[in-house]
Amino acid sequence: MFSVKKMGKNGMWGTVSLIDKNGSFRGEARFDTLKEAEQYMDDYKKRMKKQVDVKVFDDSKAEAAQKN
């Protein structure tokens, strides 16, 4: 599972909102493939009026680290 996150004012990474083509909120921006996440990240950056620090995170690695 991959998620698109942006750096918040507090210095923490937070998952961005998933907005569909109609402008409707669909929850958090989480995807099954890296390609889907990267495509959404590119679209998200184009929509932002000012430049933001946005990255794709591999959540499966984070989940595995928490289990250990």
Side-chain angles (χ1 to χ4, degrees):
M1 178 79 44
F2 298 90
S3 60
V4 179
K5 297 183 180 187
K6 73 175 182 175
M7 177 69 75
K9 293 178 182 177
N10 61 359
M12 301 289 290
W13 289 98
T15 306
V16 301
S17 298
L18 178 62
I19 308 295
D20 67 12
K21 301 267 185 210
N22 298 323
S24 299
F25 172 70
R26 299 289 179 212
E28 293 184 327
R30 297 187 184 272
F31 304 92
D32 292 327
T33 67
L34 178 59
K35 184 178 179 180
E36 289 175 313
E38 288 174 338
Q39 286 175 338
Y40 186 77
M41 181 181 67
D42 291 340
D43 292 342
Y44 184 83
K45 285 181 176 181
K46 290 175 186 172
R47 278 198 309 263
M48 295 294 101
K49 292 179 182 175
K50 67 178 189 175
Q51 192 164 352
V52 292
D53 193 8
V54 182
K55 293 183 182 178
V56 173
F57 285 78
D58 185 349
D59 293 336
S60 59
K61 290 181 182 177
E63 291 171 6
Q66 287 179 348
K67 289 180 182 179
N68 291 331

